[in-house]
Amino acid sequence: MFSPSRSSLKGSVKRQALYACSTCTPEGEEPAGICLACSYECHGSHKLFELYTKRNFRCDCGNSKFKNLECKLLPEKGKLNSGNKYNDNFFGLYCICKRPYPDPEDEIPDEMIQCVVCEDWFHGRHLGAIPPESGDFQEMVCQACMKRCSFLWAYAAQLAVPTVTKIITAEDDGVLNVDGTEDQKVIKAENGTNNHESIPEESILEKGKVIREENKTEQVDEPSTSSGSESDLQTVSMNEHQNTESHSVCKLQDLKTKKYVKQDTATYWPHNWRNKLCTCSDCMKMYADLEILFLTDEYDTVLAYENKGKSDQGTDRRDPLMDTLNSMNRVQQVELICEYNDLKTELKDYLRRFADEGTVVKREDIQQFFEEFQSRKRRRLDGMQYYCS
């Protein structure tokens, strides 16, 4: 028996399975998404698009986007869910090609991969970078999201699968021509940093010539006396350490001191790559401005969602009957087992009728079954002898 949707009662859900109903909201209407419970209870005979999972979404079933439908689980709902985000997926269209999936006109076998940022689905061949053959990656960020979140290219040089590194050859104006493209640019190291140990001299290629660029360092004022005391030297050393430490707080700034490549492609990321993103105050503000704070949440991933589902299933496998039996005496155990077997048999026969007819089991059907079952149980008890004849 289905209970009212959590996304309706508690607001947006961190991550949940969603559907779109083309019967109620066809193309041309406003996009809307419904939860799993409403897909059964309110749209059982409708044409639905499975959207897999979306983050921070609240079920739209029965709100103002549905002109002739009232949600059976929670009739009173807000008119709109302003926090929800929609895309072409809600009309059964995916990727930059805006095609359905499966596509009856597409003869090329190709897997669909979901972008972890925009949550749209893409054909592997339309991502500008072929997915790793081994499939050894956890998440993908599409071209458009890499362009919008361009700071990720600094991380891609070390974390992406495969890492976005190229053999650099002499080219004019720092532009690489790799694989026949001209839009891949070398981002040169930033100067003026105090982190001397982590920044070696960079070999910068310019018009076919190698030019050595010296690291620019800040000079530390020497002690006022030529004899400089030991405490003065310690103070200078401590200041140098603090300057170096303060610069290395931001992982992203450290990565930007090295060369990296920007491309017009998607990127593929390994397990736990999010844990390596910088979480300093400046970076967190940047994530908030880009509306991607979820990248710092390890429980936002689809993998975490699936693992939680497996864990819940493992918990559900515990037999509540056995737990109850262990707390009873022998007579109570026999009585409970008999009642359980009766309920199991009658419920199975009752549900078989719906399966044979191809109809959806509704809440009122289940309520009717248990009312009739309780009535039959009372009749059986009334006819029992409680004394020896």
Side-chain angles (χ1 to χ4, degrees):
M1 182 171 65
F2 296 111
S3 59
S5 168
R6 290 188 304 162
S7 63
S8 300
L9 295 173
K10 298 182 179 180
S12 62
V13 175
K14 194 168 189 176
R15 183 172 289 281
Q16 65 172 320
L18 288 179
Y19 296 80
C21 180
S22 64
T23 303
C24 296
T25 54
E27 192 171 359
E29 300 286 339
E30 290 186 87
I34 59 175
C35 66
L36 176 63
C38 286
S39 72
Y40 284 104
E41 187 73 12
C42 309
H43 304 265
S45 60
H46 296 179
K47 182 180 179 181
L48 303 178
F49 295 121
E50 184 177 2
L51 305 178
Y52 194 44
T53 69
K54 302 276 186 189
R55 69 170 62 89
N56 299 331
F57 199 93
R58 186 175 187 179
C59 181
D60 286 320
C61 181
N63 67 12
S64 61
K65 295 186 174 185
F66 294 80
K67 298 178 180 178
N68 301 312
L69 179 78
E70 183 180 87
C71 180
K72 298 177 182 179
L73 296 176
L74 197 67
E76 295 182 5
K77 287 187 175 180
K79 292 184 177 180
L80 292 173
N81 294 317
S82 58
N84 289 353
K85 292 185 178 181
Y86 307 90
N87 57 21
D88 289 325
N89 296 173
F90 290 81
F91 296 114
L93 303 177
Y94 307 90
C95 191
I96 58 174
C97 60
K98 306 302 180 187
R99 296 292 301 171
Y101 183 83
D103 186 351
E105 299 180 8
D106 187 3
E107 298 179 354
I108 302 175
D110 197 356
E111 63 178 338
M112 298 286 282
I113 307 174
Q114 187 179 36
C115 173
V116 68
V117 177
C118 67
E119 297 192 299
D120 195 359
W121 290 82
F122 297 85
H123 295 101
R125 66 183 185 274
H126 292 160
L127 288 169
I130 299 175
E133 292 183 3
S134 63
D136 188 21
F137 66 95
Q138 180 184 353
E139 296 180 308
M140 180 274 291
V141 180
C142 71
Q143 296 113 304
C145 290
M146 285 300 298
K147 185 175 183 179
R148 186 171 72 88
C149 307
S150 58
F151 74 92
L152 286 174
W153 286 112
Y155 288 99
Q158 294 187 5
L159 301 178
V161 182
T163 53
V164 184
T165 55
K166 302 291 182 183
I167 299 174
I168 302 177
T169 57
E171 296 289 341
D172 291 342
D173 300 325
V175 178
L176 292 180
N177 186 3
V178 183
D179 299 332
T181 62
E182 298 181 355
D183 57 355
Q184 299 160 338
K185 298 181 180 179
V186 176
I187 310 301
K188 299 179 181 179
E190 297 178 356
N191 298 320
T193 177
N194 294 328
N195 193 355
H196 313 318
E197 295 181 357
S198 63
I199 306 176
E201 290 186 356
E202 296 285 358
S203 298
I204 299 179
L205 300 170
E206 181 176 314
K207 297 182 179 180
K209 297 181 180 180
V210 178
I211 299 176
R212 295 284 182 179
E213 179 178 353
E214 297 180 355
N215 292 325
K216 298 178 181 179
T217 60
E218 295 182 0
Q219 294 182 350
V220 179
D221 293 337
E222 295 180 358
S224 58
T225 61
S226 59
S227 60
S229 66
E230 183 177 352
S231 62
D232 290 332
L233 294 175
Q234 290 177 348
T235 301
V236 172
S237 177
M238 183 176 296
N239 288 337
E240 289 180 342
H241 175 72
Q242 289 175 345
N243 288 337
T244 301
E245 187 178 23
S246 64
H247 174 75
S248 63
V249 168
C250 180
K251 298 177 184 177
L252 179 59
Q253 291 304 319
D254 285 344
L255 289 174
K256 284 184 175 180
T257 62
K258 303 175 177 65
K259 288 182 184 177
Y260 58 97
V261 179
K262 282 187 177 181
Q263 300 172 279
D264 186 21
T265 66
T267 51
Y268 304 91
W269 302 84
H271 294 270
N272 300 322
W273 72 278
R274 297 191 189 197
N275 294 337
K276 296 178 175 60
L277 297 179
C278 182
T279 55
C280 73
S281 57
D282 290 340
C283 284
M284 293 300 286
K285 182 179 183 302
M286 176 183 65
Y287 302 150
D289 292 341
L290 291 170
E291 298 182 336
I292 56 170
L293 275 172
F294 53 81
L295 286 182
T296 63
D297 181 6
E298 60 180 319
Y299 296 104
D300 170 78
T301 66
V302 174
L303 179 63
Y305 172 82
E306 292 175 343
N307 287 339
K308 183 179 183 301
K310 293 177 183 177
S311 176
D312 292 343
Q313 288 178 359
T315 302
D316 292 341
R317 289 192 189 101
R318 289 187 57 187
D319 193 342
L321 177 60
M322 296 306 299
D323 291 341
T324 305
L325 284 173
N326 291 333
S327 64
M328 295 180 171
N329 60 40
R330 181 64 179 169
V331 175
Q332 291 173 323
Q333 288 177 350
V334 172
E335 291 178 347
L336 179 60
I337 290 173
C338 291
E339 289 294 330
Y340 176 80
N341 288 333
D342 288 344
L343 174 61
K344 180 179 178 181
T345 301
E346 293 189 27
L347 181 59
K348 183 178 179 180
D349 294 339
Y350 182 75
L351 294 178
R352 185 180 291 114
R353 293 185 307 170
F354 293 90
D356 294 340
E357 297 172 1
T359 56
V360 176
V361 182
K362 298 181 179 179
R363 184 195 304 179
E364 50 266 31
D365 297 324
I366 299 299
Q367 290 176 340
Q368 179 182 352
F369 167 79
F370 280 102
E371 289 174 359
E372 294 177 352
F373 180 79
Q374 288 293 341
S375 176
R376 289 192 297 273
K377 178 182 175 181
R378 283 193 294 270
R379 288 198 298 270
R380 288 196 300 269
L381 292 176
D382 291 342
M384 290 178 64
Q385 290 183 337
Y386 288 91
Y387 58 89
C388 295
S389 56

